Amino acid sequence: MSFKEKLIQLAEEKRKSGSDRREERDFWTEQVYQLYDEIQSWFREYTEGGYIKPGFTKTFLYDAGEYEIDILELNLNGPVVILEPMGCNFTGALGGMALYLSGYKAHRVMLLLMRDEHGMPCWELRKSRKERYRFDRAMFENLLEDWLESTPDL
């Protein structure tokens, strides 16, 4: 096969898989924004009290075509917790995002979008390959508490 023929074949394969990738991307972004809404509802009392200030920063991802998505930033009156989408092209998961305390690389974990035993999407917190937990409000609050306690200069 010539170089030109290979390029034509690659373009055709990309065109055919484009709609699948769009569906995958659309599902992924919908789940990200649902998680953001859920997190904001968990912390509504803290937000209304001025203890947490949520904000968003736009970023671009390229894993399923180019698309724009928001990074959620939770300002805890000094420390900033970042939820940064990494994409929907993850082996063994429907997508993933980094969760970290800005400026502290040691405080970085992954949130992976998985399917539960009933086939429903759910978020899993991964601290390591062996340490994995279902991501919920209690888990998130415990994680943030640990980070704040283990970071003496905050």
Side-chain angles (χ1 to χ4, degrees), residues 19-35 64 67 69 87-88 93-95 112-116 119-123:
S19 63
D20 292 341
R21 294 178 74 197
R22 269 190 301 282
E23 287 176 21
E24 182 180 285
R25 179 188 67 212
D26 291 347
F27 176 76
W28 155 247
T29 56
E30 177 184 311
Q31 294 302 309
V32 167
Y33 287 110
Q34 282 181 11
L35 178 63
Y67 60 103
I69 194 163
C88 58
L94 303 170
L112 296 180
L113 181 60
M114 308 296 283
R115 291 213 183 266
D116 67 13
M120 300 301 295
C122 65
W123 289 94

Side-chain angles (χ1 to χ4, degrees), residues 66-130:
E66 181 179 343
Y67 60 103
E68 187 177 74
I69 194 163
D70 289 321
I71 296 170
L72 175 59
E73 300 171 348
L74 300 172
N75 185 327
L76 311 179
N77 288 301
V80 179
V81 176
I82 309 290
L83 287 97
E84 181 177 354
M86 305 305 287
C88 58
N89 192 8
F90 271 67
T91 303
L94 303 170
M97 71 170 64
L99 169 58
Y100 57 96
L101 191 58
S102 181
Y104 297 90
K105 289 194 176 206
H107 299 315
R108 183 183 175 105
V109 296
M110 288 298 294
L111 290 180
L112 296 180
L113 181 60
M114 308 296 283
R115 291 213 183 266
D116 67 13
E117 61 276 0
H118 305 292
M120 300 301 295
C122 65
W123 289 94
E124 184 177 276
L125 183 132
R126 295 255 181 117
K127 292 184 176 183
S128 69
R129 287 183 181 220
K130 294 182 181 181

Side-chain angles (χ1 to χ4, degrees), residues 125 127 133-144:
L125 183 132
K127 292 184 176 183
Y133 308 95
R134 180 130 186 172
F135 187 70
D136 59 18
R137 179 181 180 160
M139 170 55 59
F140 195 25
E141 285 184 357
N142 288 337
L143 178 71
L144 297 179

Side-chain angles (χ1 to χ4, degrees), residues 39-50:
I39 288 170
Q40 290 181 86
S41 74
W42 293 344
F43 296 140
R44 189 166 326 285
E45 67 182 281
Y46 303 129
T47 301
E48 290 172 356

